[in-house]
Amino acid sequence: MEQNSKINVGVVGATGYTGLELVKMLVKHPYFHLAYIANSEGGTTINKLHPSLNGVCEDEVQKADIDAMAATCKLVFLALPHKTAMAYVKPLLEKDVKVVDLSADYRLPQDIYEEFYCPHTDRANLEHVVYGLPELNREAIKSAKLVANPGCFPTSAILGLLPFMDKRIPNTPIIIDAKTGVSGAGKKLSEVTHFVNVNDNLFAYNPLLHRHAPEIANKLDVSFDEVNFVPHLVPVTRGMISSIYIQVDEEFNAMKVLQEFYKHDIHVRVSDMPVNMKNVAGTNFCDIYVKRKGNMLFISSSIDNLMRGASAQAVVNANLMMGFDETMAIPDIAYVP
Amino acid sequence: MEQNSKINVGVVGATGYTGLELVKMLVKHPYFHLAYIANSEGGTTINKLHPSLNGVCEDEVQKADIDAMAATCKLVFLALPHKTAMAYVKPLLEKDVKVVDLSADYRLPQDIYEEFYCPHTDRANLEHVVYGLPELNREAIKSAKLVANPGCFPTSAILGLLPFMDKRIPNTPIIIDAKTGVSGAGKKLSEVTHFVNVNDNLFAYNPLLHRHAPEIANKLDVSFDEVNFVPHLVPVTRGMISSIYIQVDEEFNAMKVLQEFYKHDIHVRVSDMPVNMKNVAGTNFCDIYVKRKGNMLFISSSIDNLMRGASAQAVVNANLMMGFDETMAIPDIAYVP
Amino acid sequence: MEQNSKINVGVVGATGYTGLELVKMLVKHPYFHLAYIANSEGGTTINKLHPSLNGVCEDEVQKADIDAMAATCKLVFLALPHKTAMAYVKPLLEKDVKVVDLSADYRLPQDIYEEFYCPHTDRANLEHVVYGLPELNREAIKSAKLVANPGCFPTSAILGLLPFMDKRIPNTPIIIDAKTGVSGAGKKLSEVTHFVNVNDNLFAYNPLLHRHAPEIANKLDVSFDEVNFVPHLVPVTRGMISSIYIQVDEEFNAMKVLQEFYKHDIHVRVSDMPVNMKNVAGTNFCDIYVKRKGNMLFISSSIDNLMRGASAQAVVNANLMMGFDETMAIPDIAYVP
Amino acid sequence: MEQNSKINVGVVGATGYTGLELVKMLVKHPYFHLAYIANSEGGTTINKLHPSLNGVCEDEVQKADIDAMAATCKLVFLALPHKTAMAYVKPLLEKDVKVVDLSADYRLPQDIYEEFYCPHTDRANLEHVVYGLPELNREAIKSAKLVANPGCFPTSAILGLLPFMDKRIPNTPIIIDAKTGVSGAGKKLSEVTHFVNVNDNLFAYNPLLHRHAPEIANKLDVSFDEVNFVPHLVPVTRGMISSIYIQVDEEFNAMKVLQEFYKHDIHVRVSDMPVNMKNVAGTNFCDIYVKRKGNMLFISSSIDNLMRGASAQAVVNANLMMGFDETMAIPDIAYVP
């Protein structure tokens, strides 16, 4: 296939882990041509930033420039910190470029966003954004111009909870005890992510107050009070498991409910054994297991935090936005062993 | 101090990790003399089993023999699998040897034990045993002849829950999402503990059905139905954190409750930051942190599964049984970094 | 593309790590159809053996049967232990099936093989085998019926040494200090590969006597005496680095020698910084770095032990044997981060 | 024992890993009283810097001040970066305070120091310093006022090489392929020590040019040209193994040479199996193994980089300088499992 029959796309924020994952998929995409790569500095090549790409992709990395990306690309992936992202979204949409935004900037209604993040400077587009969880919003994504790619914790928690929300005893607490690999914290240096601090260690952080909790509550249509979310950092590079506890009363076959709910969703796999991190590492799969004892339902939901939790889900969204099969260029072969 | 002014003690089950930890403490004990070491085979030395002891302790390891241990020791530590242990306890007590049993054999009432383990063959001594959690039973331990050393998960969960049981809304679920290092699974080979299976991975096992759940319920005086316990294996050698969720309604200062409850317990440390595994590794400390949001109380309780969860707690119990200060020979310097 | 326009191939030994890696590549191969999968037991499916393949490949796994594989396949990959493998090779070749043998059985001349392994029962085919290191034998591989896929350590060591063998001062020692991830030891349970034994640890094994040393010596045309090979086990799942030391005297630009030597080899990458394990994990690349101080040349050569060290190199060999481009279905996107 | 019958000592540089290790030993020392703890800022307590010390040692940390330390201490440990250290040594010695300097500042003759580090500002004391490797300089250490504590790599390399230097074929290369845990790089944040960069990875750094090479050469009385030293970073918190290769010709029993050489050295253990990192973790032991093939001698030497490679060796030196048994307060129980 020739380059010029492909659709030009761009990645802004190529330095970080999610930027790298986007590039890894896009250079193999049958219908997208990765025509524009940028970070805040420019003046380098993608393989200098990520030497694993030596001999695979050695494209130039530009200093991010909105005119340049609009002149080149039909769709842009923004792999930027929140607040930085919204400054790009508005002008790109004005120039008719579609956007998949991997930041938190468009995931929440304005009031909730501003409570947990910062003032929002692009309220107009907040009206039109689609939350990019395909299992929730597949049809809306297909016609969206702006997709807010979900957070990693919300993706794993929501996918685990969705099939059971109507079985849950109303007003009982939803407990999400999540475990994440260190790549979720990004490349930025901090004491927390120093090898010596993480290796052979484990700890909770921001217990009950992490800002992914309001995102989970909002998308599940429950109050923030009902969502009790505690993330833990674990000595793993990539991977995320949400261990979820909810109370139910009626009788039902939990496994069947799960299978039925996701029977048309290729990127969710129902497991008859407790899920683990490695079976989904490097893929867009969400593996889900469920077990009941009395009125308690335990749901274990596993994703790769960089893939289903960020970049692979972003490419799925872009596939849908451009009319392609959602599996195009999405890895399904896990990093196992 | 001369050996003959010390009290002779023995360790049966010297091959495993808990046996090694017992030896490591007992060779440094100011009042105990480790006079007898045994496993099921004998004919070796402790440093051949555990080469880290080369030049430190090179004592002979006997084939376990009840008469020999009774002739030598005033107190014996049994670091044996359940079912095997009770076959030793009965004859040792008859010969007036005190016993700290690290197995599950005497932790539960007969009916619960037999439901989750196997038929019990020493019901008589089940009547007299003391459950060896010092924070719960310190005085009873001092006069006990037989102490059932608590399981690792129950130790971390119970210590976290005890101060708040009377604040909990009755009949609401207790959720214990536990994370354990691999040494908790023992030295026995299995697919599960193969490095390739554990490294960069994480998974729940026996969710809601693990047999430490009835032990937790029994010691907290709640029903098994109320305890929802899910252990997870994490890529760490030693360490255990229980993330606990309970519902409360009245107003109280959770940190103060915690501090007040443990003000006389030297081996519990109240933390104003989320606890981690490394700060207690190699010690008998249990570090506990608490955080509240609305009606939800999150408690994070961290121990070294081999120390506070097994061998160090066993030596504390032996100290108490023999009239010594409970801190004798108990390490308080953590494996940090 | 229709299945029946593809060439049918088979994998024998689907239970192990190298079997899994073969399947992962072959299900994505544009010209091969994975028509036959077997292990020693049969009666299962590939995703039951490797749950990461759920929803990706759920083919049946047969009990290995030579007639069945010959009836189905034009080429068979043998991912079996040495000694077991040669019992398959002979009948398969007689039935005109091409074979890529991943075991050690055909890597060495008979006398050396029998000194380090066991008696050889298929001497006839030892005459015709081609050692499957493409950088050494590409043309011969293209017309081979039987390819002996190289050992992992020899692959990394030989690729590092080849460009400099004619610069080396004759008769000076070749030192290869290798570090391997644990997957190289296979799936079999052993004390050595228990997580607790490997985590936060590192050690040499079989120093100077490992049986990959004669393979290295033989392919480099030097005596076993000249090769000093010490492998170390490191707490990593996959990856292998050979740190190589040789003595040289003439002046030359080591980097240029390296680049020139491999200028036509797509699966070797010359690096201007010390190589690491992750940049090649999951790929068939061998990354090589070289540094000189006085008469000492230090060469650092990194591969994925399961890919370039086994399965990916095997698929490269099969590609060449069947007349395809050697890169077909060979992953070049690394498991980074 | 009362505090006032103990000797007052101080630790400067309490923030880092080696500072912590010093404190961990000194609070348990029978004859030293840790009377002064400082870092560059002061105004905190040691348990705030290192929460694992909660309840164990909660002493104040001062802003480092030479008059204060001289007024309080008979001996000071300097756990400071090179260059910073020498600014303390001179005034402390003038005030008659003994010093164990853990930095590189006094390990080398001036010319070599200045080639590899920076200009030396205290040449006078360079004349009187003793290099604090007890196996080399035990008697001199006993009467020293200033001891330069050896580097971690030199400690492991020199202890492995010493017994065999007179067996080595003159002028043949000494090769030291070393592997170190990440704590050796200190607490300072850097891309290199980010968990994601180290986990499941391994790489050489500063190959052939690391500045511990001249220290090794100098202490072994060979030229820098003869020492070929390549350190590798491995995904381990603490531990260091030097894999050493030298050429020998005469016949001798290598194991016996080793045992004979170290028969009076309690902190060296000769091993009949390849050594590993965990057996010495947390202790001052150096475990050494040796294997010969033809003219090649392979020596594997393992230490804990923070203990024998820094802080424990420093306390041994202080013990000797103050006339105590060198084992006082030196841990010999390893972090195993």
Side-chain angles (χ1 to χ4, degrees), chain A residues 121-159:
Chain A
T121 59
D122 183 26
R123 298 180 189 183
N125 285 311
L126 262 184
E127 308 297 312
H128 312 297
V129 70
V130 176
Y131 186 71
L133 193 66
E135 287 76 4
L136 205 58
N137 293 327
R138 187 172 284 110
E139 290 313 308
I141 294 165
K142 288 180 183 173
S143 53
K145 299 213 140 91
L146 169 62
V147 163
N149 213 55
C152 48
F153 288 121
T155 297
S156 82
I158 295 169
L159 289 175

Side-chain angles (χ1 to χ4, degrees), chain A residues 5-292:
Chain A
S5 72
K6 293 188 179 182
I7 292 169
N8 280 352
V9 300
V11 169
V12 184
T15 310
Y17 299 138
T18 54
L20 169 59
E21 292 298 335
L22 287 168
V23 171
K24 284 163 61 175
M25 283 175 281
L26 293 171
V27 296
K28 301 292 179 186
H29 203 288
Y31 308 136
F32 289 154
H33 171 57
L34 179 52
Y36 183 87
I37 311 178
N39 67 5
S40 58
E41 316 260 310
T44 184
T45 62
I46 190 69
N47 60 311
K48 277 185 198 135
L49 294 176
H50 304 287
S52 67
L53 293 174
N54 283 336
V56 179
C57 178
E58 311 199 337
D59 289 0
E60 299 213 341
V61 175
Q62 320 289 331
K63 182 167 159 58
D65 176 83
I66 286 166
D67 288 334
M69 57 188 97
T72 316
C73 306
K74 288 254 186 287
L75 182 147
V76 166
F77 297 90
L78 298 178
L80 296 169
H82 76 91
K83 195 174 173 188
T84 308
M86 54 187 157
Y88 285 85
V89 169
K90 201 176 166 186
L92 283 171
L93 292 179
E94 280 166 6
K95 290 168 196 283
D96 229 21
V97 180
K98 293 185 179 177
V99 176
V100 179
D101 175 23
L102 283 80
S103 87
D105 278 350
Y106 294 85
R107 293 177 191 157
L108 292 169
Q110 185 210 328
D111 54 338
I112 306 180
Y113 181 85
E114 297 195 340
E115 185 183 344
F116 288 89
Y117 293 88
C118 61
H120 204 290
T121 59
D122 183 26
R123 298 180 189 183
N125 285 311
L126 262 184
E127 308 297 312
H128 312 297
V129 70
V130 176
Y131 186 71
L133 193 66
E135 287 76 4
L136 205 58
N137 293 327
R138 187 172 284 110
E139 290 313 308
I141 294 165
K142 288 180 183 173
S143 53
K145 299 213 140 91
L146 169 62
V147 163
N149 213 55
C152 48
F153 288 121
T155 297
S156 82
I158 295 169
L159 289 175
L161 280 160
L162 269 184
F164 301 107
M165 286 306 283
D166 64 353
K167 309 290 189 188
R168 167 180 166 251
I169 302 176
N171 302 316
T172 55
I174 296 169
I175 288 159
I176 303 160
D177 187 289
K179 296 91 177 158
T180 182
V182 182
S183 60
K187 234 177 166 172
K188 222 184 49 167
L189 301 182
S190 77
E191 254 189 69
V192 170
T193 56
H194 191 293
F195 181 83
V196 170
N197 192 50
V198 179
N199 184 41
D200 254 318
N201 206 358
L202 188 150
F203 44 87
Y205 64 97
N206 294 353
L208 301 178
L209 297 176
H210 192 283
R211 57 197 180 185
H212 278 178
E215 184 178 337
I216 296 168
N218 178 257
K219 301 315 164 194
L220 291 174
D221 242 329
V222 297
S223 74
F224 178 53
D225 284 355
E226 291 168 272
V227 172
N228 301 283
F229 171 61
V230 178
H232 298 74
L233 197 72
V234 299
V236 161
T237 295
R238 54 201 294 160
M240 170 172 289
I241 286 187
S242 287
S243 303
I244 303 167
Y245 303 82
I246 56 170
Q247 294 169 60
V248 295
D249 46 11
E250 53 168 306
E251 287 306 308
F252 56 91
N253 181 321
M255 182 67 93
K256 276 201 183 144
V257 168
L258 198 49
Q259 283 166 332
E260 184 65 20
F261 193 90
Y262 287 121
K263 68 183 169 192
H264 299 307
D265 292 298
I266 194 165
H267 288 136
V268 174
R269 298 189 300 192
V270 174
S271 173
D272 55 5
M273 295 168 50
V275 299
N276 71 31
M277 282 185 177
K278 291 215 73 162
N279 283 342
V280 299
T283 79
N284 192 52
F285 289 121
C286 177
D287 281 1
I288 308 180
Y289 165 86
V290 64
K291 175 89 188 173
R292 180 172 180 173

